[in-house]
Amino acid sequence: MAETTYREAVRAAIDDAMSSDERVFLMGEDVGHYGGCYAVSMGLLEKFGEQRIIDTPLSESTFTGAGIGAALNGMRPIVEIMTVNFSLLALDQIMNNAATLLHMSGGQFNVPLVIRMATGGGKQLGAQHSHSLEGWFAHIPGLKILTPATVQDAYDMVGLALKDPNPVLVFENALLYNDKGELDTSAKPLPIGKAKIEKEGKDVTILTYGISLFKSLEAAQTLAEEGINAEVIDLRSLRPLDDETIMASIAKTHRVVIVDEGWKSGSLSAEIMARINEQAFYELDAPMARVCTAEVPLPYAKHLEDAALPQADKIVETVKKMVGVS
């Protein structure tokens, strides 16, 4: 067990995978000589060379398509897209090819492709570089969607994604890259599709993922000081969702708040609410609630951006209103 940063954990996972399997390679914009837009791949070009750490042109559709072709031919590519906003330029490749070829070929052709990308706001990068669209991708059958929040998951999820025979998208919140935590590279990872209870409680369930996990844990600490014992669950995987863990927690607490950095309309939080309505409606003692990003393009000004994003004080306010404490 050693302390490291989220960035170093992702880099170590890529390094380990490339060292143990010659089929694994990394490609994307500035991943080689520059070391990655967020310095995740710093030093890997010098270690593995230009045949396996590949700088690409600024053409997300082209290099994502190249990754699909390589995966179809037995390789294990990791494609890095700078931000989730730019992934829209590769949406045709991701949705119409990577996600569908297994089904369209009658099960003959798997696409074992890993796509990593930065997501999330809070960096004052404006409306074209700050969105959280992982909920959109979780809508698409044929894809698996992972959202590592902790340093351990930042490492584990790269390996899990590479072992999966299907396309897996890994969304790394850019504000987490400098965060430190404990990493055990020998630990057995939680599988894809399994949520984790980060804090047990009995009064309300808070469902969340990514950077909102830490805002939810901060809120739970504040609520505990006021006598409200919140259970906080890190979803980890948005497709597939861990319905079993979600419904078991609601059967215990009978109240639920969903914290989702996506917009509220048509969101992942809306999908989770629908599932709870279908599977655990009679367990609820109060209407469900959610804390999401305000329905605006994310502002550049810091005070406006902070106001638009889910924050710990908003979570506390929402929970207190739900349990009838003002």
Side-chain angles (χ1 to χ4, degrees), residues 7-71:
R7 172 187 294 106
E8 290 164 344
V10 178
R11 183 189 304 142
I14 297 171
D15 191 332
D16 289 351
M18 293 185 66
S19 297
S20 61
D21 187 342
E22 291 186 350
R23 298 174 301 167
V24 179
F25 68 94
L26 173 69
M27 67 177 172
E29 297 149 341
D30 288 334
V31 299
H33 293 280
Y34 190 70
C37 181
Y38 291 96
V40 168
S41 53
M42 189 75 71
L44 296 181
L45 175 64
E46 290 76 12
K47 182 171 182 177
F48 294 102
E50 293 183 345
Q51 295 296 312
R52 299 183 69 194
I53 304 294
I54 304 171
D55 279 323
T56 65
L58 301 180
S59 179
E60 286 77 8
S61 180
T62 299
F63 64 77
T64 301
I68 293 169

Side-chain angles (χ1 to χ4, degrees), residues 19-146:
S19 297
S20 61
D21 187 342
E22 291 186 350
R23 298 174 301 167
V24 179
F25 68 94
L26 173 69
M27 67 177 172
E29 297 149 341
D30 288 334
V31 299
H33 293 280
Y34 190 70
C37 181
Y38 291 96
V40 168
S41 53
M42 189 75 71
L44 296 181
L45 175 64
E46 290 76 12
K47 182 171 182 177
F48 294 102
E50 293 183 345
Q51 295 296 312
R52 299 183 69 194
I53 304 294
I54 304 171
D55 279 323
T56 65
L58 301 180
S59 179
E60 286 77 8
S61 180
T62 299
F63 64 77
T64 301
I68 293 169
L72 286 168
N73 283 280
M75 302 298 284
R76 290 292 182 271
I78 302 173
V79 169
E80 178 178 306
I81 296 177
M82 277 190 185
T83 81
V84 66
N85 298 74
F86 301 163
S87 72
L88 302 182
L89 297 164
L91 189 56
D92 179 55
Q93 294 287 4
I94 296 170
M95 180 173 174
N96 285 329
N97 291 324
T100 61
L101 286 175
L102 177 64
H103 304 272
M104 294 178 68
S105 67
Q108 296 182 79
F109 301 120
N110 288 91
V111 183
L113 171 69
V114 177
I115 302 177
R116 299 175 35 251
M117 65 186 89
T119 187
K123 304 175 294 299
Q124 283 193 274
L125 293 177
Q128 295 178 320
H129 296 74
S130 305
H131 291 134
S132 298
L133 304 179
E134 48 273 9
W136 280 17
F137 285 99
H139 176 69
I140 302 171
L143 300 179
K144 294 182 179 175
I145 307 299
L146 306 182

